[in-house]
Amino acid sequence: MDPVKCQGYAICTEVAARHFSLDDWGFAQALVVDVAEADVEAVTEAITDCPVRAIRWIPGPGEDDGRGTQEPAG
């Protein structure tokens, strides 16, 4: 999650509420870095739907597929 890019649209908190919340100023923050397989689809939707692209996957050690190991940047 890039707090500088976040504009507070809160789409991520709607589609992946277990992984994102709004801070006191109305900007999103990542709650969980390691994403369970069952939540990958919701977090991927949050990443895709973010209008300012403030969320991205962090590649895990030895991975370069662009998605990483189900860890959103936080």
Side-chain angles (χ1 to χ4, degrees), residues 6-72:
C6 181
Q7 296 296 306
Y9 288 99
I11 294 168
C12 58
T13 64
E14 293 174 16
V15 299
R18 288 172 31 118
H19 294 277
F20 302 97
S21 71
L22 298 179
D23 65 17
D24 293 339
W25 298 278
F27 297 104
Q29 59 184 8
L31 297 175
V32 179
V33 175
D34 296 321
V35 178
E37 190 64 33
D39 296 329
V40 168
E41 186 175 334
V43 173
T44 300
E45 183 178 349
I47 292 169
T48 302
D49 291 352
C50 179
V52 295
R53 302 293 181 246
I55 312 165
R56 63 180 174 81
W57 290 110
I58 297 173
E63 294 195 4
D64 61 354
D65 67 354
R67 195 186 88 178
T69 58
Q70 294 85 19
E71 295 179 0

